[in-house]
Amino acid sequence: LLRGRVNVHTVVDDLVSGFVELQESVGAQGAPSTDTLHQGYLALSGLADVIDVQVGRMELQYGNQRMVSPLDWSNFARAWDGARVQFHSGEFAVDLFGTQPVAGQGGVTGNEDFYGLYAQWNGEPVQVDLYAFKRRDLRLLIDDYTYGGLVEGSVEMFRFDLEGAIQTGDRAVVLDAQAFALAARVFADLEVIELGAAFEWASGDSNPLDGDSETFIPLFNFAHAYQGYADIVVWQNLQDVILM
């Protein structure tokens, strides 16, 4: 496996800048390389001192990457084509975006749409994120919404995070999505060693013939980091207790 990148960041002035990143990937020993534009966007920064805008091809990363991750461990990684507007003031930040996953970089067919609203409060000792995502995938016949939140922080020797989400919408045209997911972690810093415990749960279909789809379908998450390096299971139809 191989991934190589070269990028150019051009700053016109305090308001206008641009970023271009080329990527070459090899998927297996002896396989031909894939050359692609990984990122390429125009950015406007500090409009009215509180608004940033990106238009073009970009990476998306939110929270602890359980929902949306550029999957940076991959030799292909993920990228999205579209636009993002970011509002920020003090401890508060809100992102609004409309994108399409890039085929071969997180996208499969190019017939996918991904929209989102992500709000963040960077407080102490906790940080709170709230989000709403819309996914439309014509290949998988998915047109659903994911609503959720993330709380993370640290107190004394402990740090923790808790995230939960629900999914509603349409699946396979005739099914109504009613799915849920939850993840929690706590770590104790004992100076010479750090110990942690976690619990992950995600719903699955109890009766797929009742007209509902109760299976939680992850978005663009970092499964490799949370569900194991072997990539055997995903955050779906899952109950998992973890010791670290």
Side-chain angles (χ1 to χ4, degrees):
L1 304 179
L2 172 108
R3 185 183 77 191
R5 289 176 176 173
V6 59
N7 64 63
V8 177
H9 183 205
T10 301
V11 178
V12 179
D13 52 34
D14 291 340
L15 176 64
V16 181
S17 64
F19 185 78
V20 174
E21 185 169 55
L22 304 178
Q23 176 174 282
E24 181 174 358
S25 304
V26 175
Q29 184 176 5
S33 63
T34 299
D35 302 315
T36 186
L37 173 67
H38 182 60
Q39 295 191 85
Y41 59 80
L42 175 69
L44 303 177
S45 304
L47 295 172
D49 293 328
V50 295
I51 301 175
D52 297 335
V53 179
Q54 284 179 287
V55 179
R57 179 169 296 183
M58 67 197 78
E59 290 185 344
L60 296 177
Q61 177 176 321
Y62 290 105
N64 54 19
Q65 304 186 60
R66 282 190 183 275
M67 288 295 170
V68 181
S69 168
L71 203 64
D72 200 42
W73 74 271
S74 166
N75 50 314
F76 293 95
R78 293 186 181 126
W80 290 262
D81 288 334
R84 171 166 57 177
V85 180
Q86 301 173 303
F87 303 86
H88 49 84
S89 179
E91 297 175 340
F92 296 92
V94 178
D95 280 21
L96 179 65
F97 64 84
T99 64
Q100 289 187 326
V102 177
Q105 298 187 78
V108 179
T109 65
N111 293 320
E112 303 161 86
D113 298 319
F114 185 50
Y115 306 93
L117 175 66
Y118 200 98
Q120 185 178 67
W121 176 64
N122 296 303
E124 291 291 344
V126 297
Q127 173 181 303
V128 179
D129 298 3
L130 298 174
Y131 51 79
F133 299 118
K134 175 178 172 57
R135 164 181 51 189
R136 180 174 174 268
D137 189 326
L138 296 180
R139 183 182 67 92
L140 299 177
L141 298 179
I142 294 174
D143 189 359
D144 64 6
Y145 299 85
T146 301
Y147 307 99
L150 166 67
V151 177
E152 56 185 343
S154 60
V155 178
E156 301 278 334
M157 59 185 289
F158 298 99
R159 61 184 178 90
F160 59 89
D161 59 74
L162 172 66
E163 184 162 6
I166 63 173
Q167 287 182 339
T168 64
D170 300 321
R171 305 259 176 88
V173 182
V174 297
L175 298 179
D176 295 324
Q178 297 183 19
F180 309 88
L182 178 70
R185 299 186 303 173
V186 61
F187 298 91
D189 185 354
L190 305 179
E191 295 187 359
V192 296
I193 191 174
E194 184 176 70
L195 300 177
F199 176 74
E200 295 177 345
W201 173 83
S203 62
D205 270 327
S206 56
N207 182 8
L209 301 179
D210 62 4
D212 294 330
S213 174
E214 299 176 2
T215 299
F216 186 82
I217 301 178
L219 298 175
F220 300 93
N221 64 329
F222 200 165
H224 192 69
Y226 291 109
Q227 279 81 52
Y229 288 173
D231 292 328
I232 296 173
V233 297
V234 296
W235 198 19
Q236 177 184 96
N237 193 28
L238 173 73
Q239 294 186 56
D240 193 12
V241 176
I242 306 152
L243 300 176
M244 297 169 283

